[in-house]
Amino acid sequence: LRFPVPVCLNSPRDLTRRLLSTALPDVEIHYAGSATEATPQLERSQIVYGWGFSVDLLRRIWMQKMGAGVDDLAEEWPFGSKVVLTRTDGRLIGTRMVEYVIAAILDKTSRFDVARRLQSERRWEYFEIGSIQDLCIGVAGLGEIGSEIGRVLRDLGADVIGWRRSPVDCSSVRQVFVGFPELHSFVRECDVLILALPLTQETKNLFNAEVLKHCRRGIHLINVGRGAVLDESALLDGCETGRVGHATLDVFALAGYSSVLVAPQITITPHVCGPLIPERIIPHFLRNYAAFETGKQMQHVVDVSRQY
Ligand SMILES: NC(=O)c1ccc[n+]([C@@H]2O[C@H](COP(=O)([O-])OP(=O)(O)OC[C@H]3O[C@@H](n4cnc5c(N)ncnc54)[C@H](OP(=O)(O)O)[C@@H]3O)[C@@H](O)[C@H]2O)c1
């Protein structure tokens, strides 16, 4: 027996609406495009699905974050376990993030920037290019997304190592480094360092001047996790001294925005590497919805005490 639980969803795209209304024809679904618009809708909803809700608006039973990161909610989650917080399965977003990471690495190894510059100067000049197969690539954050990134890079022939919080083996990498005591040894080995970490109290500004000091000179940093994990003033100093060869940032804290924009060693993109594709993520929500309705265990329940 189904009992329809009203859902409130923000910023829906047409396809999202279509997928939801087809799958849940008897459920009252309210849509809102902003927090203000969502407020009256929330009064009538028991489930909230989306992003951009402020925590004080949420007094529902279950909130499913549309997206893998929950730092915006988990930092000050006042409900304990009274309201269940779930997130989107990172593997559903990770395949696109892998493409971005490969593009960022190949952009440097294939030296297309040099090719374009020479072409714009109407010159043909021989230069050597590098290979992913000669690189040691570190993935900080070997979760659902980081493991997928590691697996594909390893298949491409890179020497891949990873860093995570818990001592769990991961077949995507040659070696797993664990926790803060092993962070310096981990970064010391990397030619390329990919940050695929959630933002938590522990990871905020974690990649600071001290950590960068232990990195190989000329390291390529790629941040696809959250901006505030990387201390941007340390990054800018690192770019100036040559400690950092290049940084590709899909996410960054806006504090250093103007400096980041002009630094020639930094490539920025506007948080685009992991799009939320409705056909991939809505079925995940629907599986959780079915579990919720029948009192079964939902997937991707966030441990709010550790903030991810
Ligand atoms: N740029 C984008 O478009 C985009 C899109 C989606 C997601 N993201 C970001 O990517 C993040 C990761 O997503 P996910 O699905 O892979 O999450 P996940 O499966 O929860 O994995 C998180 C990983 O980070 C590790 N970690 C957390 N805190 C740590 C700490 N203090 N020290 C060392 N390792 C730590 C975890 O270690 P354990 O394995 O030991 O727990 C885990 O390996 C999200 O939180 C989000 O911020 C960005």
Side-chain angles (χ1 to χ4, degrees):
L1 184 71
R2 286 180 70 152
F3 80 98
V5 184
V7 176
C8 182
L9 176 82
N10 72 340
S11 307
R13 289 165 46 186
D14 286 349
L15 181 56
T16 305
R17 281 181 190 242
R18 215 165 46 241
L19 291 169
L20 281 175
S21 55
T22 309
L24 305 171
D26 50 353
V27 173
E28 192 184 332
I29 304 179
H30 305 282
Y31 297 97
S34 66
T36 323
E37 229 178 280
T39 310
Q41 318 273 35
L42 284 169
E43 292 306 316
R44 301 168 58 203
S45 308
Q46 286 164 280
I47 299 171
V48 181
Y49 179 35
W51 74 92
F53 293 100
S54 75
V55 168
D56 48 306
L57 283 180
L58 302 172
R59 296 213 194 289
R60 307 306 111 194
I61 301 172
W62 163 35
M63 157 81 196
Q64 172 133 351
K65 174 74 190 288
M66 196 185 265
V70 291
D71 44 291
D72 51 338
L73 297 165
E75 195 185 6
E76 290 175 36
W77 187 254
F79 312 115
S81 55
K82 279 196 215 116
V83 179
V84 180
L85 176 62
T86 54
R87 66 184 187 96
T88 302
D89 183 339
R91 288 166 299 187
L92 303 171
I93 309 169
T95 48
R96 283 289 296 265
M97 296 173 74
V98 172
E99 286 185 33
Y100 177 98
V101 167
I102 293 173
I105 297 171
L106 293 183
D107 184 53
K108 296 320 293 172
T109 56
S110 298
R111 303 183 68 192
F112 284 146
D113 49 349
V114 177
R116 286 201 190 92
R117 180 175 49 74
L118 289 172
Q119 191 179 350
S120 72
E121 293 166 7
R122 296 174 184 260
R123 283 163 59 202
W124 188 97
E125 207 170 272
Y126 180 80
F127 59 83
E128 303 232 335
I129 62 170
S131 163
I132 233 170
Q133 297 177 8
D134 298 332
L135 298 174
C136 176
I137 303 179
V139 184
L142 265 187
E144 290 176 337
I145 292 169
S147 302
E148 182 61 10
I149 292 173
R151 186 186 64 76
V152 177
L153 290 174
R154 205 171 191 198
D155 285 351
L156 289 173
D159 177 24
V160 187
I161 56 176
W163 183 71
R164 70 192 305 163
R165 193 162 170 255
S166 56
V168 179
D169 277 345
C170 174
S171 59
S172 310
V173 299
R174 168 177 56 86
Q175 189 180 348
V176 177
F177 293 75
V178 180
F180 300 118
E182 296 187 7
L183 181 57
H184 292 171
S185 327
F186 164 68
V187 299
R188 217 172 274 137
E189 289 198 32
C190 304
D191 301 304
V192 177
L193 174 57
I194 299 157
L195 307 180
L197 285 160
L199 178 61
T200 67
Q201 261 167 7
E202 285 186 2
T203 62
K204 192 169 193 175
N205 279 329
L206 180 63
F207 289 80
N208 54 19
E210 181 56 27
V211 174
L212 292 186
K213 214 165 71 189
H214 289 82
C215 290
R216 283 192 180 168
R217 198 167 173 76
I219 192 166
H220 182 183
L221 295 173
I222 302 174
N223 192 1
V224 293
R226 284 291 182 264
V229 167
L230 180 59
D231 175 339
E232 276 161 11
S233 64
L235 168 68
L236 289 164
D237 287 349
C239 288
E240 252 179 57
T241 60
R243 167 71 50 199
V244 175
H246 199 82
T248 310
L249 311 176
D250 186 47
V251 285
F252 54 100
L254 290 170
Y257 190 63
S258 49
S259 324
V260 167
L261 278 181
V262 294
Q265 304 90 337
I266 298 179
T267 303
I268 57 161
T269 51
H271 202 150
V272 287
C273 78
L276 297 166
I277 298 168
E279 297 94 320
R280 290 192 193 161
I281 63 163
I282 299 291
H284 176 258
F285 169 73
L286 292 172
R287 279 193 295 279
N288 262 352
Y289 188 94
F292 179 83
E293 269 192 316
T294 50
K296 296 204 177 108
Q297 175 66 39
M298 289 193 282
Q299 298 300 306
H300 291 85
V301 176
V302 175
D303 178 348
V304 284
S305 66
R306 62 173 201 183
Q307 300 182 310
Y308 71 98

Coordinates of all heavy atoms in Angstrom, one line a residue, residues 102-137:
I102 N 40.8 14.1 -16.7 CA 41.6 13.6 -17.7 C 42.0 14.8 -18.7 O 43.1 15.0 -19.1 CB 41.0 12.5 -18.6 CG1 40.9 11.2 -17.7 CG2 41.8 12.2 -19.8 CD1 40.1 10.1 -18.3
A103 N 40.9 15.6 -19.0 CA 41.2 16.8 -19.8 C 42.2 17.7 -19.2 O 43.1 18.3 -19.8 CB 39.8 17.5 -20.1
A104 N 42.0 18.0 -17.9 CA 42.9 18.9 -17.2 C 44.4 18.3 -17.2 O 45.3 19.1 -17.4 CB 42.5 19.0 -15.7
I105 N 44.5 17.0 -17.1 CA 45.9 16.5 -17.1 C 46.5 16.5 -18.5 O 47.6 17.0 -18.7 CB 45.9 15.0 -16.5 CG1 45.4 15.0 -15.1 CG2 47.3 14.4 -16.7 CD1 45.2 13.6 -14.5
L106 N 45.7 16.1 -19.5 CA 46.2 16.1 -20.8 C 46.5 17.5 -21.4 O 47.4 17.7 -22.2 CB 45.2 15.4 -21.8 CG 45.0 13.9 -21.5 CD1 44.1 13.2 -22.5 CD2 46.4 13.1 -21.5
D107 N 45.7 18.4 -20.9 CA 46.0 19.8 -21.3 C 47.4 20.2 -21.0 O 48.1 20.9 -21.8 CB 45.0 20.8 -20.5 CG 45.1 22.2 -21.0 OD1 45.0 22.5 -22.2 OD2 45.3 23.1 -20.1
K108 N 47.9 19.7 -19.9 CA 49.3 20.1 -19.5 C 50.3 19.1 -20.2 O 51.2 19.6 -20.8 CB 49.5 20.0 -18.0 CG 48.7 21.0 -17.2 CD 48.6 22.4 -17.7 CE 49.9 23.2 -17.8 NZ 49.7 24.4 -18.6
T109 N 50.0 17.8 -20.2 CA 51.0 16.9 -20.8 C 51.1 17.1 -22.3 O 52.2 17.0 -22.9 CB 50.6 15.4 -20.5 OG1 49.4 15.1 -21.0 CG2 50.7 15.1 -19.0
S110 N 50.0 17.4 -23.0 CA 50.0 17.5 -24.4 C 50.4 18.9 -24.8 O 50.6 19.2 -26.0 CB 48.7 17.2 -25.0 OG 48.3 15.8 -24.8
R111 N 50.5 19.8 -23.9 CA 51.0 21.2 -24.1 C 50.2 21.9 -25.2 O 50.8 22.6 -26.0 CB 52.5 21.2 -24.3 CG 53.2 20.5 -23.2 CD 54.7 20.5 -23.4 NE 55.3 21.8 -23.2 CZ 56.5 22.2 -23.6 NH1 57.4 21.2 -24.0 NH2 57.0 23.4 -23.4
F112 N 49.0 21.8 -25.2 CA 48.2 22.5 -26.2 C 48.3 24.0 -26.1 O 48.1 24.7 -27.0 CB 46.7 22.1 -26.1 CG 46.4 20.7 -26.7 CD1 45.4 19.9 -26.1 CD2 47.1 20.2 -27.8 CE1 45.1 18.7 -26.6 CE2 46.8 19.0 -28.3 CZ 45.8 18.2 -27.7
D113 N 48.5 24.5 -24.8 CA 48.7 25.9 -24.7 C 49.9 26.4 -25.5 O 49.9 27.5 -26.1 CB 48.8 26.3 -23.2 CG 49.8 25.4 -22.4 OD1 50.3 24.4 -22.9 OD2 50.1 25.8 -21.2
V114 N 51.0 25.6 -25.4 CA 52.2 26.0 -26.2 C 51.9 26.0 -27.7 O 52.2 26.9 -28.4 CB 53.4 25.1 -25.9 CG1 54.6 25.4 -26.7 CG2 53.7 25.1 -24.4
A115 N 51.2 24.9 -28.1 CA 50.8 24.8 -29.5 C 50.0 26.0 -30.0 O 50.3 26.6 -31.0 CB 50.0 23.5 -29.7
R116 N 49.0 26.4 -29.2 CA 48.2 27.5 -29.6 C 49.0 28.8 -29.6 O 48.8 29.6 -30.5 CB 47.0 27.7 -28.6 CG 46.0 26.6 -28.8 CD 44.6 27.0 -28.2 NE 43.8 25.8 -28.2 CZ 43.7 24.9 -27.2 NH1 44.3 25.1 -26.1 NH2 42.9 23.8 -27.4
R117 N 49.9 29.0 -28.6 CA 50.7 30.2 -28.6 C 51.5 30.3 -29.9 O 51.5 31.3 -30.6 CB 51.5 30.3 -27.4 CG 52.4 31.5 -27.3 CD 53.2 31.7 -26.0 NE 53.9 30.5 -25.6 CZ 55.0 30.1 -26.2 NH1 55.6 30.8 -27.2 NH2 55.7 29.0 -25.7
L118 N 52.2 29.2 -30.2 CA 53.1 29.2 -31.4 C 52.2 29.4 -32.7 O 52.7 30.2 -33.5 CB 53.8 27.8 -31.5 CG 54.9 27.6 -30.5 CD1 55.4 26.1 -30.5 CD2 56.0 28.6 -30.6
Q119 N 51.1 28.8 -32.7 CA 50.2 29.0 -33.9 C 49.8 30.5 -34.0 O 49.8 31.0 -35.1 CB 49.0 28.1 -33.7 CG 48.2 28.0 -35.0 CD 47.0 27.1 -34.8 OE1 46.9 26.4 -33.8 NE2 46.1 27.1 -35.8
S120 N 49.5 31.1 -32.9 CA 49.0 32.5 -32.9 C 50.2 33.4 -33.4 O 50.0 34.4 -33.9 CB 48.5 32.9 -31.6 OG 49.5 33.1 -30.7
E121 N 51.4 32.9 -33.1 CA 52.6 33.6 -33.6 C 53.0 33.2 -35.0 O 54.0 33.6 -35.5 CB 53.8 33.4 -32.6 CG 53.5 34.0 -31.2 CD 54.5 33.5 -30.2 OE1 55.5 32.8 -30.5 OE2 54.3 33.8 -29.0
R122 N 52.2 32.3 -35.6 CA 52.4 31.8 -36.9 C 53.8 31.1 -37.0 O 54.6 31.3 -38.0 CB 52.3 32.9 -38.0 CG 50.9 33.4 -38.1 CD 50.7 34.6 -39.0 NE 49.4 35.1 -38.9 CZ 48.4 34.8 -39.7 NH1 48.7 34.1 -40.8 NH2 47.2 35.2 -39.6
R123 N 54.1 30.3 -36.0 CA 55.4 29.6 -36.0 C 55.1 28.1 -35.9 O 54.2 27.7 -35.2 CB 56.2 30.1 -34.7 CG 56.8 31.4 -34.9 CD 57.2 32.0 -33.5 NE 58.2 31.1 -32.8 CZ 58.3 31.2 -31.5 NH1 57.6 32.0 -30.7 NH2 59.2 30.4 -30.9
W124 N 56.0 27.4 -36.5 CA 56.0 25.9 -36.3 C 57.4 25.6 -35.7 O 58.4 25.9 -36.2 CB 55.9 25.2 -37.7 CG 55.8 23.7 -37.5 CD1 54.6 23.0 -37.6 CD2 56.8 22.7 -37.3 NE1 54.8 21.7 -37.4 CE2 56.2 21.5 -37.2 CE3 58.2 22.8 -37.2 CZ2 56.9 20.3 -37.0 CZ3 58.9 21.6 -36.9 CH2 58.3 20.4 -36.8
E125 N 57.3 25.0 -34.5 CA 58.5 24.7 -33.7 C 58.3 23.4 -33.0 O 57.3 23.2 -32.4 CB 58.7 25.8 -32.7 CG 60.1 26.1 -32.3 CD 60.1 27.4 -31.5 OE1 60.2 28.5 -32.0 OE2 59.9 27.3 -30.2
Y126 N 59.3 22.6 -33.1 CA 59.2 21.2 -32.4 C 59.3 21.4 -30.9 O 60.1 22.1 -30.4 CB 60.3 20.3 -32.9 CG 60.2 18.9 -32.3 CD1 59.3 18.0 -32.8 CD2 61.0 18.6 -31.2 CE1 59.2 16.8 -32.2 CE2 60.9 17.4 -30.6 CZ 60.0 16.4 -31.1 OH 59.8 15.2 -30.5
F127 N 58.4 20.7 -30.2 CA 58.5 20.5 -28.8 C 58.0 19.1 -28.4 O 57.2 18.5 -29.1 CB 57.7 21.6 -28.0 CG 56.3 21.7 -28.3 CD1 55.4 20.8 -27.6 CD2 55.7 22.6 -29.2 CE1 54.0 20.9 -27.8 CE2 54.4 22.6 -29.4 CZ 53.5 21.8 -28.8
E128 N 58.6 18.7 -27.2 CA 58.2 17.3 -26.8 C 56.9 17.4 -25.9 O 56.7 18.5 -25.3 CB 59.3 16.8 -25.9 CG 60.6 16.7 -26.6 CD 61.3 15.3 -26.6 OE1 60.9 14.6 -25.6 OE2 62.0 15.0 -27.5
I129 N 56.1 16.4 -25.9 CA 55.0 16.4 -25.1 C 55.1 15.2 -24.1 O 55.9 14.3 -24.3 CB 53.6 16.2 -25.8 CG1 53.5 14.9 -26.6 CG2 53.4 17.4 -26.7 CD1 52.2 14.7 -27.2
G130 N 54.4 15.3 -23.0 CA 54.5 14.3 -21.9 C 53.4 13.2 -22.1 O 52.7 13.2 -23.0
S131 N 53.4 12.3 -21.1 CA 52.4 11.2 -21.1 C 51.9 11.0 -19.7 O 52.6 11.1 -18.7 CB 53.0 9.9 -21.6 OG 52.2 8.8 -21.3
I132 N 50.6 10.7 -19.7 CA 49.9 10.3 -18.4 C 50.6 9.1 -17.8 O 50.7 8.9 -16.6 CB 48.4 10.1 -18.7 CG1 47.5 10.9 -17.8 CG2 48.1 8.6 -18.7 CD1 46.1 10.9 -18.2
Q133 N 51.2 8.3 -18.7 CA 51.9 7.1 -18.2 C 53.2 7.3 -17.4 O 53.7 6.4 -16.8 CB 52.1 6.1 -19.4 CG 50.8 5.7 -20.0 CD 51.0 4.8 -21.2 OE1 52.0 4.4 -21.5 NE2 49.9 4.6 -21.9
D134 N 53.7 8.5 -17.5 CA 54.9 8.8 -16.8 C 54.6 9.5 -15.4 O 55.5 10.0 -14.7 CB 55.8 9.8 -17.6 CG 56.2 9.1 -18.9 OD1 56.3 7.9 -18.9 OD2 56.4 9.8 -19.9
L135 N 53.3 9.7 -15.1 CA 53.0 10.5 -13.9 C 52.6 9.6 -12.7 O 51.9 8.6 -12.9 CB 51.8 11.4 -14.3 CG 52.0 12.4 -15.4 CD1 50.6 13.1 -15.7 CD2 53.0 13.4 -15.0
C136 N 52.9 10.1 -11.6 CA 52.4 9.6 -10.3 C 51.2 10.5 -10.0 O 51.4 11.7 -9.8 CB 53.4 9.5 -9.2 SG 52.6 9.0 -7.7
I137 N 50.0 10.0 -10.0 CA 48.8 10.9 -9.7 C 48.2 10.5 -8.4 O 47.9 9.3 -8.1 CB 47.8 10.7 -10.9 CG1 48.5 11.0 -12.2 CG2 46.6 11.6 -10.6 CD1 47.5 10.9 -13.4

